Amino acid sequence: MEEMIFNMADTHLFFNDLEECDQVHIDDVSSDDNGQDLSTYSFATDGFHAAATSANLCLATGVRGGVDWMRKLAFRYRRVKELYSTYKNNVGGLLGPAKRDAWLQLRAEVEALTDSWLTHALKSLSIISSRSNCVNVLVTTTQLIPALAKVLLYSLGSVFPIENIYSATKIGKESCFERIMQRFGRKVVYVVIGDGVEEEQAAKKHNMPFWRISSHSDLLALHQALEFEYL
């Protein structure tokens, strides 16, 4: 599965170009985008990669490249956003027939080995996303581009809109939580669902209830709480 995630990230989501130019959120460089039509744009020949590797222009030092280079970076993130939105309910269409079959087989094996973990998790996530007054927001320590590939390959694209996905690789989960609170405001109720110490501490700091998931019974309890509208 890891191989498939990085394969998708490299092949379709420009990870070769963007690995050193990681962002927290898909729209973080959108202000550098001039909105030009990308339907006939050649990403392979625009010179971005050569510029990126020779100067290491986007390491975490905050050094930004020239205007032209930043625009090319923004184009890539826009294209990733388009691909995600187009294929989030049709990942097989992005993979093509041969890889699609291998993917479906792998997914079936993962489900069998984990006692349908994903199916159980998806039930809860689907209830949340079907409510008009609720949204799912994902905060992950994975870099943004591989995280998007992962979400797509686990068929979670339908319950996580791309603008609700945050990568904590560079800034940590607590800073991501702060960004999310700035975006949605203080008047909404946040519930943190997770299995790690980092998100539990961040939840505690911001007085958010934390629902720990460490076993199937936790997932089933979450589903019941949502189904009976305790949550």
Side-chain angles (χ1 to χ4, degrees):
M1 183 51 109
E2 187 177 346
E3 188 182 329
M4 203 169 262
I5 287 164
F6 282 104
N7 200 311
M8 175 183 271
D10 286 336
T11 309
H12 300 289
L13 307 178
F14 304 107
F15 192 50
N16 283 323
D17 287 351
L18 301 175
E19 185 171 7
E20 302 294 338
C21 316
D22 195 38
Q23 304 298 319
V24 175
H25 186 272
I26 195 70
D27 292 331
D28 280 358
V29 289
S30 61
S31 59
D32 294 299
D33 193 332
N34 65 0
Q36 83 178 57
D37 181 12
L38 298 178
S39 56
T40 57
Y41 186 84
S42 173
F43 288 98
T45 58
D46 71 354
F48 175 85
H49 194 66
T53 47
S54 64
N56 280 335
L57 285 168
C58 45
L59 293 174
T61 53
V63 178
R64 293 162 76 86
V67 173
D68 181 56
W69 185 86
M70 286 303 295
R71 190 166 63 239
K72 289 170 183 174
L73 178 68
F75 286 170
R76 280 158 173 75
Y77 277 100
R78 167 148 59 103
R79 183 77 186 117
V80 166
K81 193 175 184 178
E82 287 169 0
L83 282 167
Y84 184 98
S85 302
T86 303
Y87 291 104
K88 64 183 182 183
N89 295 314
N90 177 26
V91 180
L94 184 60
L95 293 171
K99 282 187 177 163
R100 178 181 178 272
D101 291 345
W103 168 64
L104 290 172
Q105 175 65 36
L106 177 63
R107 282 283 305 277
E109 287 171 20
V110 168
E111 278 293 273
L113 286 167
T114 59
D115 204 12
S116 304
W117 181 274
L118 186 64
T119 302
H120 291 307
L122 199 49
K123 280 181 185 171
S124 292
L125 292 166
S126 299
I127 291 174
I128 295 164
S129 68
S130 70
R131 293 178 178 174
S132 60
N133 61 341
C134 296
V135 291
N136 291 309
V137 180
L138 182 71
V139 177
T140 174
T141 47
T142 305
Q143 281 186 275
L144 185 62
I145 296 297
L148 297 176
K150 202 172 184 178
V151 168
L152 290 172
L153 288 166
Y154 280 107
S155 298
L156 295 169
S158 59
V159 291
F160 287 108
I162 193 167
E163 59 274 11
N164 288 1
I165 297 174
Y166 293 80
S167 167
T169 308
K170 288 201 301 192
I171 65 170
K173 287 187 176 175
E174 195 192 307
S175 297
C176 286
F177 282 21
E178 281 165 12
R179 273 192 63 165
I180 292 160
M181 290 170 80
Q182 281 170 4
R183 178 179 157 198
F184 291 101
R186 302 266 166 192
K187 290 182 179 158
V188 299
V189 176
Y190 297 92
V191 178
V192 181
I193 302 166
D195 65 350
V197 175
E198 194 187 350
E199 58 263 33
E200 186 170 7
Q201 287 175 342
K204 201 172 180 180
K205 185 176 177 187
H206 295 291
N207 296 316
M208 298 173 179
F210 181 73
W211 191 292
R212 186 194 311 283
I213 301 283
S214 48
S215 65
H216 279 76
S217 57
D218 298 329
L219 273 182
L220 295 171
L222 176 64
H223 181 239
Q224 269 190 326
L226 288 162
E227 209 161 37
F228 296 122
E229 298 191 350
Y230 298 133
L231 201 58

